[in-house]
mmCIF file of all heavy atoms in Angstrom:
data_model
loop_
_atom_site.group_PDB
_atom_site.id
_atom_site.type_symbol
_atom_site.label_atom_id
_atom_site.label_comp_id
_atom_site.label_asym_id
_atom_site.label_seq_id
_atom_site.Cartn_x
_atom_site.Cartn_y
_atom_site.Cartn_z
ATOM 1 N N GLY B 611 -44.188 75.505 -81.660
ATOM 2 C CA GLY B 611 -43.885 74.655 -80.500
ATOM 3 C C GLY B 611 -43.927 75.489 -79.241
ATOM 4 O O GLY B 611 -42.955 75.814 -78.625
ATOM 5 N N PHE B 612 -45.157 75.766 -78.830
ATOM 6 C CA PHE B 612 -45.384 76.742 -77.771
ATOM 7 C C PHE B 612 -44.506 76.509 -76.513
ATOM 8 O O PHE B 612 -44.008 77.394 -75.926
ATOM 9 C CB PHE B 612 -46.815 76.751 -77.294
ATOM 10 C CG PHE B 612 -47.756 77.452 -78.204
ATOM 11 C CD1 PHE B 612 -48.606 76.691 -79.085
ATOM 12 C CD2 PHE B 612 -47.899 78.799 -78.266
ATOM 13 C CE1 PHE B 612 -49.441 77.322 -79.993
ATOM 14 C CE2 PHE B 612 -48.649 79.476 -79.158
ATOM 15 C CZ PHE B 612 -49.424 78.667 -80.012
ATOM 16 N N ILE B 613 -44.499 75.163 -76.164
ATOM 17 C CA ILE B 613 -43.697 74.866 -74.966
ATOM 18 C C ILE B 613 -42.420 74.079 -75.221
ATOM 19 O O ILE B 613 -41.824 73.594 -74.287
ATOM 20 C CB ILE B 613 -44.540 74.152 -73.864
ATOM 21 C CG1 ILE B 613 -45.261 72.947 -74.505
ATOM 22 C CG2 ILE B 613 -45.505 75.177 -73.195
ATOM 23 C CD1 ILE B 613 -46.139 72.234 -73.524
ATOM 24 N N SER B 614 -42.142 73.847 -76.475
ATOM 25 C CA SER B 614 -40.929 73.027 -76.821
ATOM 26 C C SER B 614 -39.953 73.750 -77.699
ATOM 27 O O SER B 614 -38.808 73.327 -77.869
ATOM 28 C CB SER B 614 -41.406 71.756 -77.508
ATOM 29 O OG SER B 614 -42.246 72.019 -78.580
ATOM 30 N N ASP B 615 -40.321 74.917 -78.245
ATOM 31 C CA ASP B 615 -39.428 75.660 -79.177
ATOM 32 C C ASP B 615 -38.393 76.403 -78.418
ATOM 33 O O ASP B 615 -38.577 77.238 -77.495
ATOM 34 C CB ASP B 615 -40.351 76.729 -79.934
ATOM 35 C CG ASP B 615 -39.573 77.332 -81.064
ATOM 36 O OD1 ASP B 615 -38.333 77.269 -80.985
ATOM 37 O OD2 ASP B 615 -40.163 77.959 -81.920
ATOM 38 N N PRO B 616 -37.150 75.991 -78.675
ATOM 39 C CA PRO B 616 -35.996 76.654 -77.901
ATOM 40 C C PRO B 616 -35.704 78.074 -78.406
ATOM 41 O O PRO B 616 -34.789 78.807 -77.782
ATOM 42 C CB PRO B 616 -34.837 75.751 -78.198
ATOM 43 C CG PRO B 616 -35.124 75.050 -79.506
ATOM 44 C CD PRO B 616 -36.667 74.968 -79.586
ATOM 45 N N SER B 617 -36.377 78.600 -79.385
ATOM 46 C CA SER B 617 -35.955 79.877 -79.992
ATOM 47 C C SER B 617 -36.560 81.012 -79.129
ATOM 48 O O SER B 617 -37.461 80.773 -78.256
ATOM 49 C CB SER B 617 -36.342 79.975 -81.421
ATOM 50 O OG SER B 617 -37.779 79.991 -81.472
ATOM 51 N N SER B 618 -36.088 82.160 -79.353
ATOM 52 C CA SER B 618 -36.617 83.327 -78.614
ATOM 53 C C SER B 618 -37.582 84.177 -79.375
ATOM 54 O O SER B 618 -37.557 84.201 -80.582
ATOM 55 C CB SER B 618 -35.428 84.199 -78.157
ATOM 56 O OG SER B 618 -34.768 83.618 -77.101
ATOM 57 N N PHE B 619 -38.401 84.923 -78.708
ATOM 58 C CA PHE B 619 -39.284 85.873 -79.313
ATOM 59 C C PHE B 619 -39.442 87.045 -78.411
ATOM 60 O O PHE B 619 -39.713 86.939 -77.231
ATOM 61 C CB PHE B 619 -40.630 85.082 -79.519
ATOM 62 C CG PHE B 619 -41.729 85.995 -80.027
ATOM 63 C CD1 PHE B 619 -41.760 86.391 -81.384
ATOM 64 C CD2 PHE B 619 -42.709 86.569 -79.165
ATOM 65 C CE1 PHE B 619 -42.703 87.158 -81.860
ATOM 66 C CE2 PHE B 619 -43.679 87.390 -79.664
ATOM 67 C CZ PHE B 619 -43.651 87.703 -80.997
ATOM 68 N N ALA B 620 -39.182 88.229 -78.931
ATOM 69 C CA ALA B 620 -39.326 89.454 -78.143
ATOM 70 C C ALA B 620 -38.534 89.451 -76.882
ATOM 71 O O ALA B 620 -39.048 89.766 -75.727
ATOM 72 C CB ALA B 620 -40.787 89.819 -77.963
ATOM 73 N N GLY B 621 -37.330 88.853 -76.871
ATOM 74 C CA GLY B 621 -36.458 88.976 -75.761
ATOM 75 C C GLY B 621 -36.601 87.907 -74.691
ATOM 76 O O GLY B 621 -35.861 87.811 -73.723
ATOM 77 N N ALA B 622 -37.537 86.926 -74.948
ATOM 78 C CA ALA B 622 -37.669 85.816 -74.001
ATOM 79 C C ALA B 622 -37.995 84.596 -74.815
ATOM 80 O O ALA B 622 -38.446 84.671 -75.896
ATOM 81 C CB ALA B 622 -38.729 86.113 -72.908
ATOM 82 N N ASN B 623 -37.753 83.417 -74.180
ATOM 83 C CA ASN B 623 -38.052 82.207 -74.853
ATOM 84 C C ASN B 623 -39.551 81.946 -75.151
ATOM 85 O O ASN B 623 -40.407 82.403 -74.318
ATOM 86 C CB ASN B 623 -37.555 81.034 -74.018
ATOM 87 C CG ASN B 623 -37.588 79.748 -74.699
ATOM 88 O OD1 ASN B 623 -38.708 79.107 -74.640
ATOM 89 N ND2 ASN B 623 -36.636 79.380 -75.396
ATOM 90 N N VAL B 624 -39.829 81.341 -76.270
ATOM 91 C CA VAL B 624 -41.272 81.112 -76.654
ATOM 92 C C VAL B 624 -41.959 80.412 -75.551
ATOM 93 O O VAL B 624 -43.140 80.748 -75.220
ATOM 94 C CB VAL B 624 -41.264 80.290 -77.970
ATOM 95 C CG1 VAL B 624 -42.699 79.866 -78.261
ATOM 96 C CG2 VAL B 624 -40.684 81.026 -79.088
ATOM 97 N N ALA B 625 -41.320 79.428 -74.963
ATOM 98 C CA ALA B 625 -41.978 78.652 -73.898
ATOM 99 C C ALA B 625 -42.325 79.508 -72.756
ATOM 100 O O ALA B 625 -43.345 79.345 -72.085
ATOM 101 C CB ALA B 625 -41.121 77.478 -73.493
ATOM 102 N N LEU B 626 -41.402 80.481 -72.388
ATOM 103 C CA LEU B 626 -41.716 81.371 -71.258
ATOM 104 C C LEU B 626 -42.903 82.190 -71.605
ATOM 105 O O LEU B 626 -43.831 82.403 -70.666
ATOM 106 C CB LEU B 626 -40.544 82.291 -70.945
ATOM 107 C CG LEU B 626 -40.650 83.165 -69.773
ATOM 108 C CD1 LEU B 626 -40.841 82.348 -68.491
ATOM 109 C CD2 LEU B 626 -39.451 84.138 -69.650
ATOM 110 N N TRP B 627 -43.044 82.633 -72.795
ATOM 111 C CA TRP B 627 -44.227 83.438 -73.183
ATOM 112 C C TRP B 627 -45.459 82.518 -73.066
ATOM 113 O O TRP B 627 -46.485 83.097 -72.677
ATOM 114 C CB TRP B 627 -44.107 83.960 -74.614
ATOM 115 C CG TRP B 627 -43.110 85.050 -74.810
ATOM 116 C CD1 TRP B 627 -42.044 85.072 -75.484
ATOM 117 C CD2 TRP B 627 -43.190 86.433 -74.112
ATOM 118 N NE1 TRP B 627 -41.407 86.377 -75.365
ATOM 119 C CE2 TRP B 627 -42.090 87.115 -74.521
ATOM 120 C CE3 TRP B 627 -44.140 86.933 -73.236
ATOM 121 C CZ2 TRP B 627 -41.871 88.440 -74.103
ATOM 122 C CZ3 TRP B 627 -43.892 88.289 -72.799
ATOM 123 C CH2 TRP B 627 -42.735 88.992 -73.217
ATOM 124 N N SER B 628 -45.299 81.295 -73.359
ATOM 125 C CA SER B 628 -46.486 80.383 -73.287
ATOM 126 C C SER B 628 -46.965 80.257 -71.841
ATOM 127 O O SER B 628 -48.162 80.256 -71.573
ATOM 128 C CB SER B 628 -46.208 79.050 -73.875
ATOM 129 O OG SER B 628 -45.779 79.124 -75.257
ATOM 130 N N VAL B 629 -45.955 80.105 -70.960
ATOM 131 C CA VAL B 629 -46.337 80.069 -69.501
ATOM 132 C C VAL B 629 -47.011 81.305 -69.056
ATOM 133 O O VAL B 629 -48.022 81.315 -68.309
ATOM 134 C CB VAL B 629 -45.050 79.712 -68.627
ATOM 135 C CG1 VAL B 629 -45.435 79.700 -67.114
ATOM 136 C CG2 VAL B 629 -44.423 78.434 -69.045
ATOM 137 N N ILE B 630 -46.415 82.417 -69.541
ATOM 138 C CA ILE B 630 -47.074 83.749 -69.185
ATOM 139 C C ILE B 630 -48.483 83.821 -69.736
ATOM 140 O O ILE B 630 -49.453 84.236 -68.999
ATOM 141 C CB ILE B 630 -46.196 84.877 -69.705
ATOM 142 C CG1 ILE B 630 -44.782 85.002 -68.938
ATOM 143 C CG2 ILE B 630 -46.912 86.253 -69.578
ATOM 144 C CD1 ILE B 630 -43.867 85.952 -69.518
ATOM 145 N N LEU B 631 -48.669 83.366 -70.985
ATOM 146 C CA LEU B 631 -49.984 83.436 -71.625
ATOM 147 C C LEU B 631 -50.953 82.634 -70.760
ATOM 148 O O LEU B 631 -52.109 83.137 -70.449
ATOM 149 C CB LEU B 631 -49.863 82.854 -73.048
ATOM 150 C CG LEU B 631 -51.177 82.799 -73.726
ATOM 151 C CD1 LEU B 631 -51.581 84.175 -74.242
ATOM 152 C CD2 LEU B 631 -51.189 81.757 -74.933
ATOM 153 N N SER B 632 -50.634 81.375 -70.383
ATOM 154 C CA SER B 632 -51.498 80.571 -69.626
ATOM 155 C C SER B 632 -51.849 81.238 -68.295
ATOM 156 O O SER B 632 -52.965 81.084 -67.745
ATOM 157 C CB SER B 632 -50.882 79.214 -69.387
ATOM 158 O OG SER B 632 -50.088 79.133 -68.209
ATOM 159 N N SER B 633 -50.906 82.015 -67.732
ATOM 160 C CA SER B 633 -51.150 82.691 -66.427
ATOM 161 C C SER B 633 -52.091 83.894 -66.623
ATOM 162 O O SER B 633 -53.004 84.032 -65.888
ATOM 163 C CB SER B 633 -49.885 83.130 -65.763
ATOM 164 O OG SER B 633 -49.136 82.067 -65.479
ATOM 165 N N VAL B 634 -51.824 84.686 -67.646
ATOM 166 C CA VAL B 634 -52.600 85.975 -67.743
ATOM 167 C C VAL B 634 -54.071 85.551 -68.180
ATOM 168 O O VAL B 634 -54.921 86.372 -68.022
ATOM 169 C CB VAL B 634 -52.008 86.956 -68.695
ATOM 170 C CG1 VAL B 634 -50.639 87.443 -68.162
ATOM 171 C CG2 VAL B 634 -51.916 86.440 -70.187
ATOM 172 N N LEU B 635 -54.207 84.399 -68.821
ATOM 173 C CA LEU B 635 -55.593 84.011 -69.219
ATOM 174 C C LEU B 635 -56.331 83.324 -67.987
ATOM 175 O O LEU B 635 -57.442 82.979 -68.183
ATOM 176 C CB LEU B 635 -55.524 83.052 -70.394
ATOM 177 C CG LEU B 635 -55.140 83.753 -71.722
ATOM 178 C CD1 LEU B 635 -55.205 82.736 -72.908
ATOM 179 C CD2 LEU B 635 -56.103 84.908 -71.985
ATOM 180 N N THR B 636 -55.627 83.239 -66.928
ATOM 181 C CA THR B 636 -56.341 82.781 -65.649
ATOM 182 C C THR B 636 -56.878 83.971 -64.988
ATOM 183 O O THR B 636 -56.132 84.959 -64.716
ATOM 184 C CB THR B 636 -55.322 82.015 -64.785
ATOM 185 O OG1 THR B 636 -54.782 80.925 -65.514
ATOM 186 C CG2 THR B 636 -56.055 81.475 -63.522
ATOM 187 N N ILE B 637 -58.176 83.953 -64.716
ATOM 188 C CA ILE B 637 -58.750 85.095 -64.080
ATOM 189 C C ILE B 637 -58.269 85.391 -62.695
ATOM 190 O O ILE B 637 -58.097 84.520 -61.871
ATOM 191 C CB ILE B 637 -60.293 84.940 -64.032
ATOM 192 C CG1 ILE B 637 -60.869 84.876 -65.353
ATOM 193 C CG2 ILE B 637 -60.976 86.007 -63.231
ATOM 194 C CD1 ILE B 637 -62.307 84.508 -65.538
ATOM 195 N N PRO B 638 -57.862 86.699 -62.460
ATOM 196 C CA PRO B 638 -57.225 86.980 -61.093
ATOM 197 C C PRO B 638 -58.397 87.111 -60.053
ATOM 198 O O PRO B 638 -58.876 88.176 -59.635
ATOM 199 C CB PRO B 638 -56.718 88.377 -61.326
ATOM 200 C CG PRO B 638 -57.355 88.953 -62.508
ATOM 201 C CD PRO B 638 -57.825 87.812 -63.299
#
Side-chain angles (χ1 to χ4, degrees):
Chain B
F612 285 102
I613 50 179
S614 51
D615 190 342
S617 64
S618 283
F619 175 77
N623 185 275
V624 172
L626 184 63
W627 287 119
S628 301
V629 176
I630 293 174
L631 178 77
S632 83
S633 296
V634 300
L635 289 181
T636 303
I637 294 171

